[in-house]
Amino acid sequence: MSAPVKIAVSNGTTNGATNGNTNGALNGATNGATQEVNGADLKKMKNANPPKVYIGSPHKEFNPSSNDSMDGNQFPADPLQCRIEPYSPYNSCTYEIVQSVAEFLLSRVTIRPKIGIICGSGMDGTTGCLADALTDSTSFPYETIPYFPTPTVPGHMGRLVFGYLGDVPVMCMQGRFHYYEGYPLWKCAMPVRVMKLVGVTHLLASNAAGGLNNNYKVGDIMIIKDHINLLGFAGNNPLMGPNDERFGPRFPAINRAYDYSVRRMAKAVASEMNINNIVHEGVYSVVGGPSFETIAEIRMLAALGVDAVGMSTVHEVITARHCGMTSFAFSLITNKSVTDYESYEEPNHAEVIDMGKHREPVLKEFIARLVKKIEHDRQQSK
Ligand SMILES: O=P(O)(O)O[C@H]1O[C@H](CO)[C@@H](O)[C@H]1O
């Protein structure tokens, strides 16, 4: 049975005050009621209270005259304001909105994490992994967080957990948002900006990916050293639209996206754990999905120097770098990409999730040790 977690119960009000003095982070007092429930209770709660569909959901017909509320707020009466809606490829989530989400969270937890973790498919604790390893945790189902999207993909649980990994305070996204779910890229990456305004300085993202590199086996880990943003090549980027300099510059550099020193720490962790034989470093490419790749596409990606392919992470890392966060990401190779026209093999999401669960203990330890090193390094460089 999984460890009890505290569920933060929204009382519809926020009282966090902006102090804006530490990395743009907000500071707020805890006033949210909390209650203890276990994992089973949480599932029951989720089923009993089907997710409210907020303005940010891709699945809702937007109706300006509706009286639907978002955390107690009415939709704006002015229909022009209502044009700020989620289908736009341009970011319509203002700094103030992100700030209000950060305040909402900070006013309900006392913990002030500097490290934010995003769990990939099958690694999100649906069976009780990383987030359940957190102690003294407070958990927010996404549907209880104003403006947050809700995940629609199996293997992505959909809650934000604050707690201690070892003795390091972290916040952990159990479940992420993908472009193929219907969310524009800026919306998929919006939680990263929330992390930033909560005070997070280091993003640590994981994902499930298909392995193209012939040296990789299913179950291996690939530390991402660089990416090819295929969605960006096609004119789609989470930073498209008006730029708010409070987050970052109009034209951010991305060539050092995957922090060299954190990658070195990750390799040191692999040595300590004696798993060098399954840990590689390589290039990840994002595709839009949800269909897996054709053989011709895989061959093209391999020719471009891609080692692993997936449908996430890149927009999160771009958004993190834009707002000055240090970022690190790794892929769990959950399947080998098919390159042979004679092959009967087909990738499928079930095997992706199964491999995530199978590798859970190794990944948990890998992340916990890395988090400890990052925190140690952060303390040293103060
Ligand atoms: O990248 P994560 O979220 O780990 O998920 C990966 O697994 C799914 C395909 O099985 C896709 O969503 C792909 O991106």
Side-chain angles (χ1 to χ4, degrees):
M1 192 164 116
S2 52
V5 291
K6 279 182 255 163
I7 302 293
V9 180
S10 163
N11 60 8
T13 61
T14 63
N15 75 345
T18 306
N19 74 0
N21 57 3
T22 50
N23 303 306
L26 302 165
N27 227 344
T30 304
N31 79 339
T34 58
Q35 65 191 57
E36 295 272 335
V37 295
N38 61 28
D41 287 337
L42 176 62
K43 281 219 175 74
K44 266 191 243 146
M45 276 176 66
K46 287 191 89 156
N47 293 340
N49 305 306
K52 270 182 256 160
V53 186
Y54 293 122
I55 200 169
S57 165
H59 303 299
K60 177 160 178 156
E61 283 299 317
F62 187 65
N63 175 7
S65 61
S66 140
N67 270 341
D68 285 1
S69 67
M70 186 195 306
D71 201 35
N73 296 324
Q74 299 293 306
F75 282 137
D78 176 356
L80 279 179
Q81 286 185 46
C82 297
R83 298 203 176 188
I84 298 172
E85 50 94 336
Y87 305 103
S88 166
Y90 303 121
N91 197 336
S92 52
C93 194
T94 63
Y95 188 91
E96 285 71 23
I97 288 180
V98 179
Q99 203 169 31
S100 72
V101 180
E103 284 173 358
F104 173 91
L105 296 167
L106 286 169
S107 65
R108 286 161 173 79
V109 293
T110 48
I111 181 172
R112 295 292 179 260
K114 299 291 179 202
I115 299 175
I117 301 170
I118 303 178
C119 298
S121 282
M123 299 171 241
D124 75 336
T126 358
T127 53
C129 82
L130 184 71
D132 284 343
L134 304 187
T135 53
D136 202 12
S137 64
T138 303
S139 172
F140 298 85
Y142 290 160
E143 63 266 25
T144 67
I145 307 173
Y147 298 96
F148 238 64
T150 47
T152 62
V153 187
H156 289 266
M157 191 174 197
R159 52 180 203 173
L160 190 60
V161 186
F162 288 75
Y164 291 87
L165 189 54
D167 52 7
V168 183
V170 298
M171 67 189 282
C172 180
M173 282 180 69
Q174 275 186 296
R176 60 149 58 91
F177 310 104
H178 304 85
Y179 187 62
Y180 61 76
E181 292 175 74
Y183 293 115
L185 288 177
W186 62 263
K187 189 100 202 171
C188 295
M190 173 263 205
V192 173
R193 287 186 164 175
V194 171
M195 284 182 179
K196 167 72 182 180
L197 295 197
V198 159
V200 167
T201 56
H202 287 67
L203 176 71
L204 204 163
S206 64
N207 63 53
L212 281 79
N213 188 313
N214 284 330
N215 296 324
Y216 295 1
K217 291 188 288 303
V218 169
D220 285 0
I221 293 169
M222 183 187 85
I223 295 166
I224 301 181
K225 73 169 177 212
D226 203 354
H227 69 228
I228 291 184
N229 181 9
L230 273 190
L231 297 178
F233 277 27
N236 199 350
N237 188 297
L239 305 179
M240 275 164 62
N243 183 59
D244 191 325
E245 294 276 335
R246 286 175 291 181
F247 283 120
R250 170 76 291 184
F251 300 108
I254 296 294
N255 54 307
R256 292 172 60 239
Y258 300 88
D259 190 75
Y260 179 71
S261 86
V262 180
R263 282 192 279 131
R264 215 174 37 198
M265 289 179 216
K267 284 181 247 178
V269 167
S271 297
E272 282 166 23
M273 290 174 65
N274 209 11
I275 55 167
N276 280 324
N277 57 327
I278 64 157
V279 177
H280 316 275
E281 196 172 43
V283 175
Y284 174 89
S285 179
V286 63
V287 293
S291 48
F292 289 104
E293 303 71 39
T294 65
I295 288 170
E297 286 164 353
I298 290 295
R299 289 181 176 185
M300 180 195 84
L301 291 173
L304 291 177
V306 172
D307 297 297
V309 60
M311 306 169 191
S312 69
T313 306
V314 166
H315 42 274
E316 297 155 353
V317 167
I318 290 174
T319 303
R321 291 301 297 149
H322 179 246
C323 60
M325 291 163 76
T326 301
S327 48
F328 170 85
F330 72 87
S331 299
L332 174 67
I333 306 300
T334 51
N335 54 289
K336 288 286 283 179
S337 298
V338 182
T339 52
D340 177 4
Y341 282 103
E342 310 297 308
S343 171
Y344 282 98
E345 272 177 63
E346 288 183 335
N348 64 79
H349 189 57
E351 73 180 349
V352 168
I353 293 180
D354 284 350
M355 186 44 64
K357 287 177 189 160
H358 178 68
R359 276 298 194 207
E360 197 178 288
V362 174
L363 297 178
K364 212 189 301 193
E365 189 177 342
F366 182 71
I367 293 172
R369 284 175 181 256
L370 180 57
V371 159
K372 195 170 175 188
K373 280 195 192 303
I374 294 172
E375 181 62 15
H376 181 259
D377 188 64
R378 241 182 37 75
Q379 297 291 347
Q380 296 291 304
S381 53
K382 261 188 188 168

